[in-house]
Amino acid sequence: MPSAGEDMDTWIEQDRTDRKSDADRARTVPDTGTLGKAVAVLDVVARAERPMRFRDLREAIGQPPGTLHRQVSNLISEGLLQVNPDHSYGLGLRLLQFAARAWSGNRFREIAEPHLAALHEKTGETVHLGVLSDLEVIYLDKVESRQAVRMHSQIGNASPCYCTGVGKAALSALPPEDAWARIARVDFRRHTEHTLTDAAVLGEELADIRAAGIAFDREEHETGIHCVAAPIRSHDRSFVGGISVTAPSYRIAMAQLERWADDVRAAAAAINADIEIRLGPRA
Amino acid sequence: MPSAGEDMDTWIEQDRTDRKSDADRARTVPDTGTLGKAVAVLDVVARAERPMRFRDLREAIGQPPGTLHRQVSNLISEGLLQVNPDHSYGLGLRLLQFAARAWSGNRFREIAEPHLAALHEKTGETVHLGVLSDLEVIYLDKVESRQAVRMHSQIGNASPCYCTGVGKAALSALPPEDAWARIARVDFRRHTEHTLTDAAVLGEELADIRAAGIAFDREEHETGIHCVAAPIRSHDRSFVGGISVTAPSYRIAMAQLERWADDVRAAAAAINADIEIRLGPRA
DNA sequence: TAAGTTGTTCCATATAGTGGAACGTCGTTT
DNA sequence: AAACGACGTTCCACTATATGGAACAACTTA
């Protein structure tokens, strides 16, 4: 919408420019057509902090009411979306059903499971398994002593790749050009005072991580929490991820994390070997 | 495909009949167009026992190769599907991400949580929370003593509505016509020797359940496992579900389940009251 | 190497999605 | 209580998008 001060022509010109850059993007980013628009709706609902009503979706998506209404209706019919009693939208239960299968059927997770347990046994701290999904890390599994905290809260959760141990480890396992390409698209947000917020700096750290085979998160994502991580990958690097040992910094010093580095590296190496054997090119 | 003995005309006639009944169904079942076809692919992958390659999908879906290929490509681009190293398909990690939000954002689950814990405290046995999704029960939560069995395996899983305690409880909370309509669409499969496999019998039992406010699963789904369940519902019955206490029959007798019935009923009543307060029409 | 199977790309056609506008419906205001 | 306005829903001509046959590429098996 043009602000009061601008004249109409300027705004229209602006609009043309936007359309052009959209078209440019369409050439590089694969167009997923109708499906893409549908999952965009799901994404808005998933990422929303406050309850979203129809009007809110309309603003967030920018589709005309008739169109959006049909998209939403279809999503509801398919069980991917549901309407709460207060007319706000929530994600549908069908997604839970799909996710249960996605999780139990995931070979990566299945292979890593015993190694995560062993690593937890050795360190006594929380162990994570995550894989890189575009610019985010999605946590596939978690082993911790105190089961009091419900594990659901973590599995499936996504965190940024540039400020988590698993994320940086995963990036380091990518071909460097690919890693740079992704870093270039990162929207750096400062989560703590230690968060890296510069693509160049992150790129250099990746080189170090690649050389050492170990990544550290020095309270870059959450104050008071640090971790040591190592990369895991499929043979052709179509999947990259990482495992990590996470601990509160008040209880576990960085020096201890560094002492665990070898164990983490060894566990990751064992997982990679298993992956090679069970998912490898000649499997 | 026509079997060797049939002649071609008979088979074609058969085919025409099928098409007609498909068209009839299309009038009653809402058409979700392109989206529906996409999730049909996800569903096939999700329900598949063995790994599915492109050819297998083609057989299961019945789409021409070009079309199916694009649908699959789009799903992959959106992260809803992924290709395993062996060229078989698996559900994508984006689904895990969505499910994590669907779960943590579910008001129903949130409200029921403390009541489930209390019921577990009282009985010492496994407590489930499930909601009805068309003809299946999807388990939203689970409280059990031995955390040895990973809880992921259960959350999000779907079970038939006609042979589970939660399922029958949920059906009993529906308006009777709605319950009958769903029962009519059930594809009864005998899971154990006690499984109800007749719509009329199930309908009658629902009347009893409605009167008693309690449903039993007498080893109808799995031999050696029985449970006592009670219905929960949203104020307008747009959601119906149930809670249950489940136990192995070798250790807990039916008589004990019957003794727990009051506790289960009370817990369900408490949840329903909370729902009324926090999600009710005047909330 | 050849033959066969499995998967991918292309393009004219038909179908399904689009969005403006007109219509209900509910909650708020005078 | 009536009127207004905001929010959501339905409808339909138009057009963008999905479709699927066919030709092509890649990978397996004989």
Side-chain angles (χ1 to χ4, degrees):
Chain A
M1 201 188 286
S3 64
E6 298 177 88
D7 72 350
M8 210 53 175
D9 285 342
T10 307
W11 178 65
I12 289 174
E13 191 56 38
Q14 178 67 39
D15 186 49
R16 280 214 196 92
T17 312
D18 282 344
R19 279 163 191 273
K20 190 149 183 274
S21 77
D22 276 358
D24 281 346
R25 221 173 304 156
R27 243 166 267 143
T28 53
V29 173
D31 180 19
T32 52
T34 307
L35 179 67
K37 291 165 195 163
V39 314
V41 172
L42 290 182
D43 219 55
V44 166
V45 173
R47 301 191 121 85
E49 304 290 340
R50 45 178 192 139
M52 300 286 271
R53 296 202 323 290
F54 189 87
R55 185 68 200 287
D56 304 312
L57 284 185
R58 195 164 141 39
E59 274 175 25
I61 309 269
Q63 297 269 26
T67 300
L68 180 60
H69 184 264
R70 184 181 33 73
Q71 289 168 342
V72 164
S73 300
N74 286 342
L75 285 168
I76 291 172
S77 296
E78 289 296 337
L80 304 181
L81 205 63
Q82 44 185 226
V83 280
N84 296 324
D86 64 347
H87 293 282
S88 67
Y89 292 101
L91 294 178
L93 295 172
R94 189 99 172 266
L95 290 166
L96 270 189
Q97 202 181 335
F98 282 141
R101 293 284 192 154
W103 192 86
S104 65
N106 190 289
R107 320 270 280 273
F108 237 95
R109 191 215 95 248
E110 196 187 340
I111 291 172
E113 196 170 314
H115 299 285
L116 300 183
L119 189 56
H120 170 71
E121 200 63 37
K122 193 166 256 171
T123 62
E125 296 297 329
T126 301
V127 174
H128 279 113
L129 166 69
V131 302
L132 192 62
S133 174
D134 197 20
L135 302 179
E136 291 181 310
V137 165
I138 294 181
Y139 289 103
L140 268 187
D141 213 341
K142 173 177 177 178
V143 184
E144 59 182 346
S145 336
R146 307 299 257 103
Q147 294 281 12
V149 177
R150 309 296 290 268
M151 54 194 338
H152 312 275
S153 59
Q154 207 68 344
I155 305 288
N157 267 7
S159 294
C161 64
Y162 62 92
C163 61
T164 54
V166 170
K168 294 194 289 184
L171 284 174
S172 82
L174 289 173
E177 325 82 68
D178 190 352
W180 280 111
R182 300 211 196 195
I183 290 174
R185 287 165 43 229
V186 166
D187 172 29
F188 286 94
R189 278 193 47 195
R190 176 171 292 286
H191 289 88
T192 76
E193 52 172 329
H194 298 103
T195 306
L196 301 182
T197 54
D198 185 273
V201 175
L202 176 58
E204 282 170 32
E205 184 170 336
L206 286 189
D208 297 342
I209 294 170
R210 228 170 271 129
I214 279 290
F216 291 98
D217 161 8
R218 302 175 172 85
E219 308 194 22
E220 294 159 38
H221 185 41
E222 215 171 317
T223 302
I225 304 288
H226 56 189
C227 84
V228 49
I232 62 177
R233 41 173 127 38
S234 64
H235 68 103
D236 61 352
R237 310 199 171 185
S238 55
F239 285 164
V240 299
I243 59 173
S244 68
V245 176
T246 306
S249 45
Y250 78 86
R251 183 154 56 73
I252 303 289
M254 263 305 287
Q256 179 61 63
L257 291 189
E258 281 162 13
R259 253 170 272 137
W260 281 334
D262 280 339
D263 296 318
V264 176
R265 209 174 357 226
I271 293 171
N272 282 329
D274 272 14
I275 289 170
E276 205 68 31
I277 293 167
R278 295 172 58 185
L279 302 180
R282 314 236 157 268
Chain B
M1 203 188 285
S3 65
E6 298 177 272
D7 73 348
M8 209 57 176
D9 284 341
T10 307
W11 178 64
I12 289 175
E13 191 55 39
Q14 178 67 38
D15 185 49
R16 280 216 195 92
T17 312
D18 282 343
R19 279 162 192 273
K20 189 150 184 272
S21 78
D22 276 357
D24 281 346
R25 221 174 303 155
R27 243 167 265 147
T28 54
V29 173
D31 180 20
T32 53
T34 307
L35 179 67
K37 292 166 196 165
V39 314
V41 173
L42 289 182
D43 220 54
V44 166
V45 173
R47 300 190 122 86
E49 304 290 341
R50 39 165 202 156
M52 299 286 270
R53 295 203 323 289
F54 189 88
R55 183 70 200 287
D56 304 313
L57 285 184
R58 194 163 143 40
E59 273 176 24
I61 310 271
Q63 297 270 24
T67 301
L68 180 60
H69 183 264
R70 185 180 31 73
Q71 289 169 341
V72 164
S73 300
N74 286 341
L75 286 168
I76 291 172
S77 296
E78 290 297 337
L80 304 180
L81 205 61
Q82 44 184 228
V83 280
N84 296 324
D86 65 346
H87 294 281
S88 67
Y89 293 101
L91 295 178
L93 296 172
R94 190 99 172 266
L95 290 166
L96 270 188
Q97 202 180 337
F98 281 140
R101 293 285 192 155
W103 192 86
S104 65
N106 190 289
R107 320 270 278 273
F108 237 95
R109 192 215 95 247
E110 197 185 341
I111 291 171
E113 196 169 314
H115 299 285
L116 300 184
L119 190 56
H120 170 70
E121 200 63 35
K122 193 166 260 173
T123 61
E125 295 297 329
T126 301
V127 174
H128 280 114
L129 166 68
V131 303
L132 192 63
S133 174
D134 196 23
L135 302 180
E136 291 182 310
V137 166
I138 294 182
Y139 290 102
L140 269 186
D141 214 340
K142 173 177 176 177
V143 184
E144 58 182 345
S145 336
R146 306 299 255 108
Q147 293 282 14
V149 178
R150 308 295 290 267
M151 55 197 334
H152 313 275
S153 60
Q154 207 67 347
I155 305 289
N157 266 7
S159 294
C161 65
Y162 61 92
C163 61
T164 55
V166 170
K168 292 194 290 185
L171 285 173
S172 81
L174 288 173
E177 325 82 67
D178 190 351
W180 279 112
R182 300 209 196 198
I183 290 174
R185 287 164 44 230
V186 166
D187 172 30
F188 287 94
R189 279 194 47 194
R190 176 170 293 284
H191 289 87
T192 75
E193 52 172 329
H194 299 103
T195 306
L196 301 181
T197 53
D198 185 273
V201 175
L202 176 57
E204 281 170 35
E205 184 172 336
L206 285 188
D208 297 343
I209 294 170
R210 226 170 270 131
I214 279 289
F216 290 98
D217 162 8
R218 301 175 174 85
E219 309 194 22
E220 294 159 36
H221 185 39
E222 214 171 318
T223 302
I225 304 289
H226 55 189
C227 84
V228 50
I232 63 178
R233 40 172 124 42
S234 65
H235 68 101
D236 62 352
R237 310 199 172 182
S238 55
F239 286 162
V240 299
I243 60 174
S244 67
V245 176
T246 306
S249 46
Y250 78 85
R251 183 155 54 75
I252 303 289
M254 262 305 286
Q256 179 60 62
L257 291 188
E258 279 162 13
R259 255 170 270 135
W260 281 333
D262 282 338
D263 297 317
V264 175
R265 210 177 353 231
I271 292 171
N272 282 328
D274 273 13
I275 288 169
E276 206 68 33
I277 294 167
R278 294 170 60 183
L279 302 180
R282 313 236 158 268

